[in-house]
Amino acid sequence: MKNYELTVLIHPDLEMNLEPALDKVKKLIEDNKGKITKESNEGKKRLAYAVGGQDFAIYYYYELELPAAAPAKISSVLNITDEVLRYLLVTVDERKIKLAAKRAEREASEQAKNSEEE
């Protein structure tokens, strides 16, 4: 299983009833044996250019673990889903995750050392 990030731009007219569209995306991920590790609603934002006649979209972000064949299947379904204006599914660079973890660990140890000295 590899780590992925999925950002979905949902049609702004669905702002009041977002759950069915989000459930559709979650079901798609789970049907392809994926696991959602983190999700967040980034809110309604203005688009850089009009997409499908819309100037705004609701941004929703997921961190996923997916098997090798799942990204292609998820992409093909999201392409034809009416609620989704655009999406971006990318792999997470494992080296960046490790570097960030090491950096956080180093900063925590430095803070602990500084608090001991005081």
Side-chain angles (χ1 to χ4, degrees):
M1 298 268 265
K2 281 181 84 173
N3 292 323
Y4 292 87
E5 292 179 350
L6 172 65
T7 302
V8 180
L9 278 61
I10 299 175
H11 200 284
D13 293 344
L14 301 174
E15 185 174 22
M16 298 309 254
N17 194 11
L18 204 57
E19 288 306 313
L22 297 177
D23 289 341
K24 196 181 268 191
V25 173
K26 288 178 189 176
K27 184 177 182 327
L28 175 63
I29 292 165
E30 291 167 0
D31 287 349
N32 286 290
K33 297 179 180 68
K35 178 181 164 190
I36 299 172
T37 56
K38 179 182 174 185
E39 62 181 281
S40 67
N41 185 345
E42 303 296 324
K44 187 175 182 179
K45 296 181 183 179
R46 184 173 204 52
L47 299 172
Y49 56 90
V51 176
Q54 299 297 322
D55 293 326
F56 290 88
I58 300 165
Y59 284 65
Y60 217 84
Y61 171 79
Y62 297 95
E63 288 182 7
L64 312 169
E65 291 179 5
L66 297 172
K73 293 177 184 176
I74 290 172
S75 292
S76 66
V77 173
L78 286 176
N79 276 330
I80 60 173
T81 303
D82 292 335
E83 294 89 356
V84 175
L85 293 176
R86 290 281 190 270
Y87 71 93
L88 179 64
L89 179 62
V90 295
T91 60
V92 175
D93 188 3
E94 298 297 329
R95 293 176 293 177
K96 285 184 180 180
I97 293 173
K98 289 177 184 176
L99 285 174
K102 285 181 183 178
R103 190 175 303 126
E105 186 178 305
R106 195 174 328 122
E107 289 173 359
S109 66
E110 287 175 7
Q111 287 178 352
K113 185 187 285 185
N114 290 340
S115 64
E116 288 175 4
E117 291 175 359
E118 296 175 358

